[in-house]
Amino acid sequence: MTHPDEAAVRTGGRARPVLLTVDDDPGVSRAVARDLRRRYGGDYRVVRASSGDEALTALRELKLRGDRVAALLADYRMPQMDGIEFLEQAMDLFPRARRALLTAYADTDAAIQAINLVDVDHYLLKPWEPPEEKLYPVVDAMLETYLASPDAAVQDVRIVGHHWSAPSFAARDFLARNAVPYRWYSVEEPEGRRLLTAAGAGPDDVPVVVPPDGQALLAPTEAQLAAAVGLTVEASTDFYDLVVVGGGPAGLGAAVYGASEGLRTVLVERQATGGQAGQSSRIENYLGFPDGVSGGQLAERARRQAAKFGAEVLTARAVTALEDDGPARVVRFADGGCISAHAVILATGVSYRQLDAEGAGELTGRGVYYGSAITEAASCAGEHVYIVGGANSAGQSAVFFARHASCVTLLVRGPSLEASMSHYLVQQLAAIPNVVVRTSTSVAAVRGADHLEELDLRDATGRVETVPASHLFVFIGAAPRTEWLDGVVARDGRGFLPTGPDLLVDGAHPPGWHLPRDPYFLESSVPGVFVAGDVRAQSVKRVASAVGEGAMAVTLVHRYLGER
Ligand SMILES: Cc1cc2nc3c(=O)[nH]c(=O)nc-3n(C[C@H](O)[C@H](O)[C@H](O)COP(=O)(O)OP(=O)(O)OC[C@H]3O[C@@H](n4cnc5c(N)ncnc54)[C@H](O)[C@@H]3O)c2cc1C
């Protein structure tokens, strides 16, 4: 193997991104590396390995050093670990590295598997002579995609903070959910202290974020953080055909269909695109992904797709008001400013309910987490993790954390899992030896000095047991957060937004409705304001239906625009 260090030629103090090739045939491996160096050696470091294990070791080292990996070229047929298995594990370390599978002969099954499991960009037949015709165009295309990703633009974000600090966790979680790579330093380690000193900050200023330009941010807001790492936070203009509020599957679906059908479209997301789905470790029932897909990958593909069609995606901007200004719909942001549009799609989904247990509020972000908090996976190694909830989201999370923790206990309030969780997940959980399901159990209290240390668990008889715990992940249902629409758009008693026929009472239009026609199927009580996904009253809480409603809402937007 070419050790990453051997090739670590640094330009301007920053290592060039890596092209990694892995092939068990030394002759082929040398030839690929030679061809790659010949054309890309000036801008990239070429690292080669002769097995999947060796390549993963190299990738782990690169990861620890904060280096970037632009592309992975893996041979399919290798002993011990085949190319697809390697690429699947490599994606956990470098999700943005582009991927190609090399094979000696056409193998349709392998190609299908490669597309489904690891979303390969290319499937290359060996030999690729002459490289100018066969290899380089493929690698050029992969690098073009890589260079358009934030991984290339944001080269070295460093965060210094306390592990058990809620704001430090929030900053890491924000970057992870937006797929921005970063390096994390604890204030306790020498490099962390050095960075704090360099930034003129003290331990109370954390998190301190040092973006590639070296302009340190002390305890930044999410919008400041987003801007510093290269995410778009400002709209390029103040009037659009369509504003989509919320960047989950419904919003992303609407943005893709809106922009691809020629509408000037902007999507506004308050935290990270992907929404709830972005938190899912593996979505198994979304059409077209027979082997499942992680929410992060699905969100990343959708984001790229929306951008490809020209939709603007604003991150870290919360919408706090909607106004009906004659022909225009005005959307106001929490931090000031506004944009207007002919039509609006509300796709704000739902948010987790807070755990009603003594002490939970104080320890949120310090051992108590809502959602999967995938950034915490590494610190769960060897720990006993508790998960609260009996629905699919809790089940998926248990499957995910079982790969990292020594033991995962799923705490379910009801008497069984079957009533609330899909059959396939119940079966998966039953087959994982380090997952324990405790039914008829709820969390009565959580305690800890500066982070979670123990839980009080109450069973159906009222008996309370205290157990030591460092990580508690909460998935206990969700509610829409639509208070900001009160008095503007009709809401039902639980805050969901009724649309279309649900707005008609004895055939009468909702108050304030001024058109002679009925509201369209996904139209709210305000003409030109549509609703898609989980936030809609009576919606089916699924990724597929959210995406479908996003697409359908766009069709109705066209119909609405056509009648003006
Ligand atoms: C862990 C987990 C696993 C799941 N697994 C599956 C699965 O396997 N299969 C399946 O079909 N479904 C699954 N679901 C359900 C699925 O993810 C949801 O049904 C789907 O995400 C709903 O999409 P949405 O776009 O309507 O809303 P959301 O995904 O909730 O997205 C809404 C977005 O709007 C943003 N937002 C909210 N308010 C504002 C505002 N005022 N301004 C700006 N932005 C705002 C939020 O930040 C969020 O990003 C899972 C859910 C979870 C939590």
Side-chain angles (χ1 to χ4, degrees), residues 245-251 268-270 272 274-277 279-280 283-285 317-319 347-350 352 393 396 475 484 532-534 541-543 546:
V245 185
V268 187
E269 164 55 48
R270 75 171 168 209
Q276 297 169 71
Q279 305 241 321
S280 167
I283 298 169
E284 307 248 17
N285 53 4
R317 298 298 296 274
V319 173
T348 51
V350 291
Y352 287 111
S393 49
Q396 284 179 5
F475 298 83
W484 58 281
D534 280 13
K541 309 293 184 275
R542 287 279 182 271
V543 175

XYZ file of all heavy atoms in Angstrom, residues 245-251 268-270 272 274-277 279-280 283-285 317-319 347-350 352 393 396 475 484 532-534 541-543 546, ligand 1:
329
model
N -41.184 26.090 2.154
C -40.729 26.229 3.540
C -40.548 24.839 4.126
O -41.523 24.087 4.255
C -41.730 27.042 4.388
C -41.156 27.280 5.789
C -42.073 28.353 3.718
N -39.306 24.498 4.470
C -39.013 23.176 5.024
C -38.272 22.324 4.006
O -38.684 22.226 2.847
N -37.178 21.722 4.449
C -36.318 20.969 3.522
C -36.277 19.487 3.812
O -35.261 18.837 3.628
N -37.396 18.921 4.286
C -37.476 17.459 4.426
C -37.828 16.861 3.069
O -37.778 17.554 2.033
N -38.219 15.589 3.035
C -38.549 14.958 1.748
C -39.636 15.707 0.969
O -39.543 15.833 -0.251
C -39.041 13.571 2.151
C -38.433 13.314 3.471
C -38.275 14.634 4.152
N -40.654 16.216 1.673
C -41.725 16.920 0.960
C -41.189 18.203 0.329
O -41.447 18.494 -0.855
C -42.875 17.242 1.912
N -40.421 18.969 1.109
C -39.878 20.229 0.596
C -38.875 19.989 -0.520
O -38.881 20.679 -1.548
N -36.468 27.085 1.831
C -35.924 27.667 3.059
C -35.994 26.617 4.160
O -37.074 26.122 4.479
C -36.749 28.902 3.499
C -36.064 29.578 4.679
C -36.925 29.870 2.348
N -34.854 26.294 4.727
C -34.793 25.246 5.754
C -34.183 25.845 7.018
O -33.143 26.482 6.961
C -33.951 24.076 5.224
C -33.465 23.091 6.265
C -34.568 22.490 7.123
O -35.590 22.035 6.573
O -34.412 22.492 8.369
N -34.823 25.577 8.150
C -34.316 26.234 9.360
C -33.088 25.541 9.919
O -32.278 26.146 10.598
C -35.406 26.324 10.421
C -35.683 25.035 11.087
C -36.580 25.110 12.282
N -36.927 23.733 12.568
C -38.022 23.315 13.122
N -38.917 24.187 13.483
N -38.240 22.057 13.335
N -31.366 21.700 8.778
C -30.590 20.928 7.807
C -31.545 20.241 6.848
O -32.548 19.664 7.292
C -29.745 19.878 8.517
N -33.197 17.435 4.623
C -33.348 16.004 4.950
C -34.456 15.809 5.964
O -35.118 14.782 5.969
N -34.651 16.827 6.834
C -35.725 16.752 7.817
C -35.610 15.509 8.676
O -34.509 15.050 8.988
N -36.743 14.967 9.050
C -36.724 13.741 9.872
C -36.054 12.604 9.119
O -35.334 11.804 9.703
C -38.133 13.259 10.165
C -38.999 14.156 10.966
C -40.406 13.612 10.884
O -40.715 12.583 11.461
N -41.260 14.281 10.146
N -36.302 12.530 7.818
C -35.739 11.414 7.054
C -34.216 11.453 7.113
O -33.554 10.414 7.144
C -36.227 11.469 5.614
N -32.477 11.961 9.485
C -32.033 11.387 10.756
C -32.126 9.870 10.747
O -31.735 9.227 11.709
C -32.957 11.860 11.861
C -33.077 13.345 11.960
C -32.608 13.824 13.300
O -32.855 13.186 14.293
N -31.912 14.926 13.311
N -32.685 9.337 9.691
C -32.893 7.895 9.685
C -31.607 7.191 9.280
O -30.981 7.553 8.294
C -34.011 7.547 8.696
O -34.010 6.171 8.473
N -33.462 3.754 5.672
C -34.851 3.705 5.227
C -34.967 2.494 4.318
O -34.294 2.418 3.291
C -35.216 4.997 4.469
C -35.069 6.191 5.408
C -36.629 4.923 3.901
C -35.143 7.527 4.712
N -35.779 1.545 4.706
C -35.801 0.271 3.976
C -36.991 0.188 3.023
O -37.059 -0.718 2.213
C -35.897 -0.899 4.964
C -34.836 -0.864 6.041
C -33.830 -1.977 5.908
O -33.744 -2.577 4.831
O -33.126 -2.225 6.894
N -37.967 1.096 3.191
C -39.196 0.892 2.429
C -39.451 1.977 1.391
O -40.570 2.166 0.957
C -40.389 0.798 3.394
C -40.452 1.990 4.342
O -39.648 2.908 4.231
N -41.396 1.985 5.258
N -32.199 29.127 8.067
C -33.105 30.281 8.081
C -34.494 29.773 8.464
O -35.112 29.013 7.713
C -33.182 30.934 6.689
C -31.894 31.499 6.147
C -31.300 32.605 6.958
N -32.055 33.844 7.076
C -32.023 34.852 6.204
N -31.296 34.748 5.106
N -32.706 35.956 6.408
N -34.975 30.175 9.624
C -36.315 29.744 10.051
C -37.329 30.758 9.565
O -37.099 31.968 9.648
C -36.358 29.626 11.559
N -38.428 30.262 9.063
C -39.511 31.151 8.648
C -40.429 31.341 9.846
O -40.833 30.359 10.496
C -40.275 30.538 7.460
C -41.509 31.366 7.134
C -39.364 30.461 6.245
N -43.957 22.860 3.991
C -43.544 21.452 4.136
C -42.712 21.340 5.405
O -41.585 20.849 5.384
C -42.747 21.017 2.906
N -43.285 21.836 6.509
C -42.486 21.981 7.730
C -42.511 20.751 8.626
O -41.924 20.767 9.710
C -42.960 23.211 8.533
O -44.382 23.115 8.689
C -42.641 24.502 7.811
N -43.165 19.696 8.204
C -43.081 18.419 8.914
C -43.511 18.487 10.363
O -44.369 19.288 10.746
N -42.886 17.623 11.144
C -43.193 17.570 12.575
C -41.875 17.512 13.352
O -40.837 17.195 12.795
C -44.042 16.313 12.927
C -45.432 16.417 12.345
C -43.363 15.045 12.454
N -39.883 16.306 17.158
C -40.031 15.360 18.275
C -40.684 15.982 19.485
O -40.395 17.120 19.834
C -38.664 14.833 18.718
C -38.093 13.878 17.728
C -36.995 14.226 16.986
C -38.683 12.651 17.531
C -36.483 13.362 16.055
C -38.176 11.784 16.599
C -37.083 12.141 15.866
O -36.592 11.290 14.942
N -38.958 4.678 13.949
C -37.766 5.520 14.103
C -36.912 5.003 15.261
O -35.690 4.928 15.163
C -38.161 6.975 14.301
O -39.149 7.078 15.291
N -35.231 1.655 14.138
C -34.072 1.860 13.244
C -32.869 2.328 14.044
O -31.736 1.924 13.805
C -34.395 2.949 12.227
C -35.303 2.506 11.120
C -35.590 3.660 10.177
O -35.045 4.743 10.306
N -36.461 3.427 9.236
N -37.351 9.006 20.937
C -38.191 8.999 19.723
C -39.630 8.771 20.157
O -40.158 7.667 20.031
C -37.797 7.840 18.797
C -36.395 7.894 18.271
C -35.343 7.424 19.025
C -36.146 8.395 17.005
C -34.054 7.459 18.538
C -34.867 8.427 16.500
C -33.823 7.960 17.271
N -46.636 29.724 14.320
C -46.371 30.956 13.572
C -47.405 31.196 12.461
O -47.494 32.288 11.924
C -44.942 30.952 13.008
C -44.637 29.792 12.093
C -44.331 28.520 12.455
C -44.621 29.804 10.664
N -44.117 27.732 11.357
C -44.284 28.501 10.234
C -44.846 30.788 9.694
C -44.176 28.164 8.889
C -44.725 30.445 8.354
C -44.397 29.137 7.973
N -47.616 20.211 2.049
C -47.182 18.864 1.645
C -46.477 18.170 2.797
O -45.780 18.814 3.587
C -46.234 18.972 0.445
N -46.665 16.874 2.887
C -45.914 16.061 3.848
C -46.569 15.959 5.209
O -47.772 16.184 5.377
N -45.735 15.638 6.203
C -46.235 15.294 7.541
C -47.049 16.399 8.202
O -47.883 16.113 9.066
C -45.055 14.951 8.466
C -44.537 13.544 8.251
O -44.922 12.921 7.238
O -43.741 13.076 9.083
N -47.598 9.413 7.300
C -46.256 9.830 7.736
C -45.199 8.894 7.142
O -44.703 7.988 7.800
C -46.191 9.840 9.270
C -47.322 10.622 9.948
C -47.236 12.113 9.685
C -48.279 12.904 10.420
N -49.582 12.995 9.740
N -44.879 9.142 5.895
C -43.906 8.303 5.188
C -43.083 9.170 4.249
O -43.570 10.193 3.744
C -44.627 7.262 4.323
C -45.277 6.140 5.092
C -44.237 5.081 5.473
N -44.816 3.960 6.174
C -44.970 3.875 7.491
N -44.597 4.887 8.249
N -45.483 2.805 8.056
N -41.859 8.727 3.976
C -41.003 9.451 3.044
C -41.650 9.514 1.660
O -41.723 10.570 1.020
C -39.603 8.784 2.942
C -38.762 9.468 1.887
C -38.907 8.796 4.279
N -44.532 11.889 1.451
C -44.078 13.286 1.548
C -43.521 13.744 0.195
O -43.863 14.820 -0.306
C -43.020 13.416 2.642
C -35.625 8.436 12.674
C -36.742 8.358 11.668
C -36.816 7.278 10.792
C -37.825 7.221 9.809
N -37.844 6.154 8.962
C -38.753 6.110 7.973
C -38.745 5.040 7.043
O -37.937 4.120 7.142
N -39.647 5.062 6.039
C -40.560 6.057 5.895
O -41.319 6.053 4.933
N -40.606 7.085 6.787
C -39.730 7.130 7.811
N -39.769 8.147 8.726
C -40.805 9.192 8.560
C -40.365 10.189 7.495
O -39.025 10.574 7.735
C -41.267 11.402 7.485
O -42.579 10.980 7.204
C -40.817 12.413 6.437
O -39.507 12.871 6.722
C -41.762 13.600 6.383
O -41.238 14.529 5.489
P -41.615 16.071 5.539
O -40.795 16.728 4.496
O -43.078 16.215 5.495
O -41.209 16.589 6.985
P -39.834 16.566 7.779
O -38.991 15.425 7.373
O -40.236 16.684 9.208
O -39.101 17.893 7.319
C -39.570 19.155 7.657
C -38.436 20.148 7.567
O -38.956 21.460 7.732
C -38.076 22.240 8.515
N -38.837 23.309 9.132
C -39.823 23.194 10.059
N -40.309 24.406 10.388
C -39.616 25.303 9.636
C -39.678 26.723 9.535
N -40.547 27.448 10.255
N -38.821 27.341 8.695
C -37.946 26.599 7.938
N -37.861 25.265 8.004
C -38.690 24.617 8.838
C -37.532 21.241 9.517
O -36.295 21.679 10.047
C -37.395 19.986 8.654
O -36.124 19.900 8.048
C -38.791 8.242 9.725
C -38.743 9.313 10.626
C -37.741 9.371 11.585
C -37.701 10.531 12.539
